[in-house]
Amino acid sequence: MMSAAEFRRRFLRDPTAVGAGIVLLALVAMAALAPVLAPQNPYDPMQLDIMDSEMPPSWLPGGEDRFPLGTDPQGRGVLSTIMYGTGISLLIGLGAVAVQMLIGVTLGLIAGYRGGWLDSLLMRIADIQLSLSTLMLAIVALAVFSAAFGPDLYSDLAIFMLIAVIGVAEWPRFARTVRASVLAERKKEYVDAARTIGLSPGTIMRRHVLPNTLTPVLVIATIQVAEAIVTEAALSFLGLGMPATQPSLGALIRSGFEFIFSGAWWITFFPAVVLILLILSLNLLGDWLRDTLNPKLRRGA
Amino acid sequence: MTDAPDTPAPEAPEPAPPAATGPLVSVRGLTRQFRLPSHFLALKKPKLQALGGVDLEIDRGEAFCVVGESGCGKTTLGRIVMGLLGPSSGEIHFGGTRIDRLSESQRRPYRARMQMVFQNPYASLNPRRSVGQTLAEPVRALIPGSRAEEVRDRVIDVMETTGCAPDWADRLPHEFSGGQRQRIAIARALVTHPEFVVADEPVSALDVSIQAQILNLLADLREARGLTYLFITHDLGVVRHFGSRVAVMYAGRVMELATTAEIFARPRHPYTQLLLSSIPKLEGGSFSKERPASEPPDITRAQAGCPFAPRCPIAGERCRREVPKLVAAGAARCACHAVEEGRVAA
Amino acid sequence: MSALLEVRDLRVAFPRGRSDEVFALRGVDLSLKRGERLGVVGESGAGKSMLAFAILDLIQSPGRIAGGSIRFDGQNLLAMSEREIRRVRGKRIAMIFQDPMATLNPVLTIGRQMAEALEAHGRISEREARRRSVEMLKAVQVPQAEARYDAYPHELSGGLRQRVVIAIALLAEPEIIIADEPTTALDVTIQAEIMALLLRLCREREVGLILITHDLAVVAEVTERLMIMYAGRCVEEGPTSEVIARPRHPYAAGLLASLPGHTEPGARLTQIPGSMPPLGALPEGCAFRPRCEHAYARCHLERPELEPDLPGRRVACYLPLGGRT
């Protein structure tokens, strides 16, 4: 256990953590303030002009100051699409992880505390789920959905579909972690002490065990947001994710990919850099959290 | 986070008024098996016999010690008495009422009267709850209808009696040393004013200079509150200092039962003798005689005869065949054929 | 006769933060004659295990030996290369830990591990290794030594495992055994067996013993000389029986008086108030001062050094119990 002040002190002392935090904060701010900051609204067809298509970044010959990072084939400014796209990627990442946590933490608690056949059943389901790759599962599910709904309805619902599919596919990570910490915590004497005052299993779970399992959940959640964003990017790159009209970072990378060899590298390059920065900062923060909050590692230090 | 009582006061029978006579706690024919992990298709499910028929009576005001080595069943005994484990067979009576078959709501009134102090003060306090929250929880759960200021008064009162400083209430367990944590754990056990406290190795995890503080505290509380203890320990020095009566356990059975003074003055059972001669002493002499390597008892296999027979220097043919019963032997009770037959002095 | 092992002013430091250090050992002297048995007693955090690890240069990074010297048989261990020190560690100075499984490899048979210890001395035939190992297992009174030679560590009880560890340590014919809480994890009857064995073997083979424990009574049974440690320093040193009969340092006296079972049953135990301060937050002056009822002005200002006291004894206190000599 550590106080908020101690946590802050450790954070400020670690240059990697501070750096990753600043990058992440900047990207989040950029995404959240996109409607205000972006030079252009890429979702508004009225603001687009096909004559502006495939312009290089402003510092290259043929570039214009209106589009600092150039434009894509539809005449959208790359900077603006990145600002909006980062928001969509983050939204899908956070939403998917919320779904994972909801399912995973609940099932993990039940499996760990109840034990017995229910535990075995849930963990076998988790094993099966983990043995199928998330990407494969998502490709099948999304392909079925898009065939069933038709392309128009599908592009409207894509963001929810992605959240649901990535959320459901990755719940076992949370379930297993929570179950393992529940098994460790429930053996501790403070749980026995709670039993000697006659508290019900539900109350013991909620009041005593659950708060002590949340540290690893927080650590995994950070890493899982990065994972979910990467998965979404991969799906979008394969054409199963966000539609071109409402592009995420992955969809942007895809949209520029076919133009790389015609020389318009900026359409792919800049979204890719932002994606890498986003994933890297999340992973570095996740690693830092794990090292800081895990008392076992700390004791060894 | 505020803790409301979990359920409204249950319709439980009022606890019987404490009978002035008779033991406070009695345990009759207590056995407990644990199933060992095995393949689910295995025909024979291996079992571990943690308790093999224990009878005890603890009188009011006693500091009743249970002493024995690892695997002797002393911890299982304490957990069964507290209702943390169910017995495989046997009965537990508290204040004249049988409590081992009560439902949780029927048992609740008794829970306030019997509490437990655990071995490891680093694990027995929830790391995320302040000392105040930890101490208030038993009052809220076990004394339904306590008003907020009653709860607070009880917490302040128990902190004072156990030597916890008032400003500890808002702090988290990790800010305290082992000895301080054990004080908090004792305060938690006493906040409902129990008559009976099970203390499972309460000083084993502490440094020597801190052990003395906690033992003194427990002794003071016994005097001030008329507490009855079931004190579980492996440390004979602690028994000698603290206990009024002592049961020596081996492999899930009571081998010898007597007042502490009697056990130390005249140990009758060969195991008790071995135990006493093994304690290291400041004046030396315990390690001067070498003994052959001995094996701990195998409690996973049902054995005929006395469990101590394989290590016993005076074991006879009857000892390997027939389990000795705990019977009167002089001023003590002893489970040994040799003592019973008068082969060794009673 | 000069000492076989001579430790002077040993300091071990661990980093705290970026530029600060905490000292786990703050200048410890220790000397051991050939065949002598020395007890090192202290509570958790006193630095007694640190001392054992430091002597064998086993302090794990980021900790470091920050000063002092360790002379073994005339050579400075701290000046040796890792290769040279490996010729001493585990061979001329053997080590026994609290947990036998820290020494035993769970996937190798007892025999394999004993043979390895022998091979470290030079090439040896398999039959010869077996013969000598079984002989050693018999010497440490492992029953059915022949069968145990082929057993795996998990097939033995805790007491037998510790006997095997002792056997492996003795195969190297060490001059000193450092035993760090060797019986703390064992039951009291098994402890008596193991300590009696260790005591006899050390006597018969003239092996020196440094016994590190929190248990004064065990030290009283086994050792000839005793060091009492507090907060990374030795506060009292002398012949075991004399220190126990007449402790000079208030901490030593408090420790002895707080032992249950050695005073009148039921009487109040003498307790030392408070607890040992964390090494990073030691008070000025004497580290024991906040818990000491005899402390006076000088104890707040200056740190008492370990100085000669009664004949053969040393104490780090300005006001030793029973008056100054």
Side-chain angles (χ1 to χ4, degrees):
Chain A
M1 278 304 302
M2 146 174 9
S3 64
E6 164 73 3
F7 187 78
R8 198 161 51 234
R9 198 179 61 80
R10 280 168 181 272
F11 181 80
L12 293 177
R13 232 178 34 195
D14 188 330
T16 317
V18 173
I22 291 173
V23 170
L24 183 63
L25 206 66
L27 290 174
V28 170
M30 180 184 90
L33 299 175
V36 189
L37 294 182
Q40 193 193 26
N41 180 354
Y43 303 157
D44 182 3
M46 302 300 290
Q47 293 187 25
L48 306 180
D49 186 346
I50 196 72
M51 297 306 288
D52 294 335
S53 68
E54 289 186 62
M55 281 208 269
S58 57
W59 64 87
L60 291 177
E64 280 183 35
D65 286 345
R66 282 190 298 146
F67 304 110
L69 301 181
T71 61
D72 71 1
Q74 295 161 49
R76 299 183 296 194
V78 170
L79 178 63
S80 303
T81 50
I82 286 176
M83 290 174 85
Y84 279 88
T86 307
I88 289 175
S89 284
L90 276 169
L91 203 67
I92 292 171
L94 291 171
V97 169
V99 173
Q100 291 170 17
M101 270 168 80
L102 189 74
I103 305 175
V105 172
T106 313
L107 294 183
L109 277 178
I110 295 172
Y113 201 75
R114 283 286 298 278
W117 66 267
L118 189 60
D119 178 27
S120 307
L121 180 71
L122 288 171
M123 285 305 114
R124 288 305 82 73
I125 295 176
D127 288 343
I128 293 168
Q129 181 96 66
L130 281 180
S131 68
L132 304 168
S133 105
T134 302
L135 213 51
M136 189 175 89
L137 212 68
I139 290 170
V140 172
L142 293 174
V144 170
F145 286 142
S146 65
F149 294 161
D152 289 341
L153 187 58
Y154 180 77
S155 42
D156 288 346
L157 292 178
I159 191 163
F160 301 106
M161 285 311 194
L162 283 164
I163 287 176
V165 166
I166 300 174
V168 169
E170 294 263 309
W171 68 269
R173 282 184 208 280
F174 283 94
R176 288 176 136 194
T177 311
V178 168
R179 173 180 172 272
S181 353
V182 169
L183 289 180
E185 291 298 321
R186 63 175 291 193
K187 280 200 204 99
K188 293 193 182 161
E189 290 170 342
Y190 71 83
V191 174
D192 285 335
R195 289 177 61 207
T196 63
I197 58 173
L199 298 184
S200 68
T203 308
I204 293 176
M205 234 27 237
R206 204 177 61 243
R207 201 186 285 169
H208 290 284
V209 178
L210 181 60
N212 285 299
T213 58
L214 289 183
T215 306
V217 169
L218 179 66
V219 173
I220 299 186
T222 318
I223 309 265
Q224 284 295 99
V225 171
E227 289 264 312
I229 291 174
V230 169
T231 307
E232 184 278 329
L235 289 168
S236 292
F237 188 80
L238 295 173
L240 286 160
M242 295 304 293
T245 49
Q246 231 185 328
S248 64
L249 289 174
L252 288 175
I253 295 171
R254 170 194 159 87
S255 73
F257 199 62
E258 36 197 301
F259 296 93
I260 277 192
F261 298 105
S262 63
W265 51 269
W266 55 88
I267 308 175
T268 292
F269 178 75
F270 293 112
V273 169
V274 172
L275 182 68
I276 289 169
L277 282 177
L278 185 62
I279 303 303
L280 196 64
S281 61
L282 278 166
N283 278 332
L284 287 174
L285 277 180
D287 287 351
W288 177 82
L289 272 177
R290 187 195 56 214
D291 294 348
T292 309
L293 297 179
N294 188 335
K296 266 193 201 129
L297 287 173
R298 218 188 320 147
R299 214 175 295 143
Chain B
M1 177 153 111
T2 55
D3 298 334
D6 301 294
T7 47
E11 289 299 312
E14 278 294 299
T21 55
L24 179 62
V25 177
S26 70
V27 164
R28 289 176 205 158
L30 205 61
T31 70
R32 171 74 205 204
Q33 286 103 35
F34 290 102
R35 198 185 288 172
L36 291 172
S38 63
H39 192 265
F40 74 107
L41 285 177
L43 285 176
K44 270 183 96 173
K45 304 279 183 193
K47 278 187 182 157
L48 179 156
Q49 177 94 1
L51 288 180
V54 170
D55 301 273
L56 291 176
E57 291 191 338
I58 303 173
D59 291 325
R60 276 163 218 286
E62 267 199 289
F64 190 94
C65 291
V66 173
V67 71
E69 300 180 283
S70 46
C72 75
K74 55 189 193 297
T75 293
T76 306
L77 175 67
R79 292 175 68 84
I80 291 179
V81 169
M82 282 306 298
L84 287 173
L85 274 178
S88 296
S89 68
E91 300 177 8
I92 299 148
H93 296 254
F94 183 79
T97 316
R98 185 166 176 189
I99 57 167
D100 55 290
R101 288 198 169 161
L102 298 182
S103 69
E104 190 48 58
S105 63
Q106 289 170 319
R107 197 180 172 107
R108 183 156 305 184
Y110 296 96
R111 292 213 184 265
R113 297 170 61 192
M114 49 199 301
Q115 277 295 307
M116 184 156 183
V117 178
F118 297 88
Q119 171 173 3
N120 183 353
Y122 292 90
S124 70
L125 301 175
N126 186 333
R128 288 182 190 265
R129 313 203 85 210
S130 71
V131 173
Q133 286 176 320
T134 295
L135 295 183
E137 189 168 40
V139 186
R140 294 215 172 89
L142 293 176
I143 308 175
S146 300
R147 280 174 300 130
E149 49 284 26
E150 286 170 350
V151 175
R152 206 191 54 223
D153 289 349
R154 268 179 185 266
V155 169
I156 291 172
D157 176 60
V158 82
M159 286 177 72
E160 199 183 314
T161 4
T162 51
C164 302
D167 67 307
W168 290 10
D170 299 322
R171 291 159 65 187
L172 289 172
H174 74 93
E175 299 177 53
F176 298 98
S177 68
Q180 289 170 328
R181 286 180 200 220
Q182 200 60 308
R183 271 179 205 278
I184 297 163
I186 291 170
R188 171 179 59 194
L190 294 183
V191 73
T192 59
H193 294 291
E195 299 145 64
F196 178 63
V197 172
V198 174
D200 186 3
E201 303 265 17
V203 296
S204 310
L206 305 175
D207 273 319
V208 181
S209 75
I210 310 298
Q211 280 190 7
Q213 295 173 8
I214 297 299
L215 287 172
N216 282 342
L217 174 65
L218 290 171
D220 292 346
L221 290 167
R222 179 178 166 215
E223 196 140 304
R225 299 204 171 194
L227 287 178
T228 307
Y229 287 117
L230 173 59
F231 197 100
I232 296 161
T233 181
H234 71 280
D235 187 334
L236 286 149
V238 172
V239 172
R240 178 173 215 168
H241 174 76
F242 193 80
S244 55
R245 270 201 308 154
V246 53
V248 179
M249 288 187 68
Y250 189 80
R253 293 171 193 277
V254 175
M255 295 280 129
E256 187 162 2
L257 179 66
T259 63
T260 308
E262 184 68 24
I263 286 266
F264 282 89
R266 276 172 297 278
R268 290 169 174 83
H269 198 286
Y271 176 62
T272 315
Q273 290 171 358
L274 172 67
L275 211 49
L276 290 182
S277 68
S278 300
I279 316 176
K281 297 174 190 68
L282 289 178
E283 55 278 13
S286 288
F287 300 162
S288 48
K289 201 185 90 199
E290 211 172 326
R291 301 182 180 90
S294 54
E295 295 280 332
D298 184 2
I299 48 178
T300 59
R301 228 173 293 161
Q303 266 180 338
C306 173
F308 187 61
R311 288 173 73 179
C312 183
I314 54 167
E317 186 263 336
R318 187 181 168 203
C319 301
R320 293 192 185 89
R321 200 184 58 220
E322 187 186 328
V323 178
K325 289 194 179 62
L326 190 68
V327 292
R333 292 172 72 76
C334 189
C336 178
H337 292 311
V339 173
E340 200 186 330
E341 292 160 5
R343 279 197 277 139
V344 294
Chain C
M1 192 172 95
S2 73
L4 176 62
L5 180 70
E6 188 85 51
V7 175
R8 283 271 164 269
D9 198 32
L10 190 63
R11 287 154 199 278
V12 171
F14 284 82
R16 175 175 58 177
R18 221 173 267 166
S19 53
D20 201 10
E21 281 193 323
V22 172
F23 283 83
L25 288 185
R26 302 183 300 135
V28 176
D29 295 354
L30 176 154
S31 73
L32 191 78
K33 294 197 209 66
R34 201 168 279 280
E36 190 182 23
R37 295 185 304 280
L38 169 74
V40 180
V41 177
E43 296 180 275
S44 43
K48 53 191 193 304
S49 293
M50 203 60 71
L51 179 59
F53 279 87
I55 289 173
L56 293 173
D57 197 16
L58 287 171
I59 300 288
Q60 297 268 325
S61 173
R64 66 187 184 95
I65 293 181
S69 67
I70 303 169
R71 298 193 79 80
F72 171 68
D73 200 13
Q75 300 161 285
N76 187 355
L77 291 188
L78 295 181
M80 281 184 183
S81 68
E82 178 60 29
R83 235 180 103 126
E84 289 171 312
I85 210 158
R86 258 188 268 137
R87 254 179 255 148
V88 174
R89 187 197 299 147
K91 302 192 178 60
R92 299 184 66 192
I93 306 180
M95 188 133 184
I96 300 174
F97 298 95
Q98 174 177 336
D99 177 10
M101 292 310 269
T103 312
L104 297 175
N105 184 337
V107 300
L108 297 181
T109 61
I110 304 293
R112 188 68 234 131
Q113 302 185 51
M114 297 188 82
E116 263 173 23
L118 283 169
E119 278 159 14
H121 270 281
R123 290 190 62 84
I124 183 168
S125 75
E126 203 170 307
R127 265 185 60 192
E128 178 65 7
R130 184 178 189 105
R131 191 188 63 75
R132 285 180 56 188
S133 300
V134 170
E135 194 176 288
M136 187 57 79
L137 287 175
K138 284 178 180 158
V140 298
Q141 307 214 349
V142 169
Q144 299 149 37
E146 289 278 356
R148 306 289 193 197
Y149 182 86
D150 296 312
Y152 286 90
H154 70 263
E155 296 172 291
L156 307 184
S157 67
L160 280 187
R161 276 183 215 153
Q162 203 60 299
R163 281 178 194 261
V164 169
V165 169
I166 293 174
I168 291 176
L170 287 174
L171 279 179
E173 293 170 8
E175 287 147 82
I176 297 176
I177 294 179
I178 300 179
D180 185 5
E181 304 268 11
T183 54
T184 305
L186 302 175
D187 281 320
V188 63
T189 55
I190 310 296
Q191 164 172 283
E193 291 173 9
I194 298 289
M195 290 314 305
L197 172 78
L198 196 58
L199 182 59
R200 173 179 63 84
L201 291 170
C202 285
R203 277 192 182 135
E204 277 177 9
R205 296 170 190 240
E206 268 192 72
V207 180
L209 176 69
I210 298 178
L211 177 65
I212 291 162
T213 174
H214 67 282
D215 193 333
L216 270 166
V218 169
V219 162
E221 293 271 0
V222 175
T223 65
E224 303 153 297
R225 216 149 50 77
L226 164 64
M227 269 173 74
I228 294 180
M229 293 197 57
Y230 190 80
R233 289 173 60 85
C234 173
V235 294
E236 178 154 11
E237 198 228 303
T240 306
S241 56
E242 287 180 37
V243 174
I244 282 171
R246 194 181 166 195
R248 298 277 286 164
H249 196 282
Y251 175 65
L255 216 49
L256 280 160
S258 61
L259 288 181
H262 297 278
T263 48
E264 190 62 26
R268 248 187 113 65
L269 294 169
T270 314
Q271 58 186 55
I272 309 176
S275 52
M276 189 159 71
L279 290 165
L282 293 178
E284 286 286 304
C286 172
F288 185 60
R289 185 257 302 161
R291 303 175 73 184
C292 181
E293 54 182 17
H294 306 289
Y296 72 119
R298 191 176 176 197
C299 310
H300 290 251
L301 300 170
E302 279 180 80
R303 192 177 72 182
E305 296 299 324
L306 189 67
E307 276 167 8
D309 184 53
L310 299 172
R313 297 180 59 174
R314 293 193 296 168
V315 65
C317 182
Y318 294 126
L319 277 181
L321 299 171
R324 305 212 62 164
T325 51

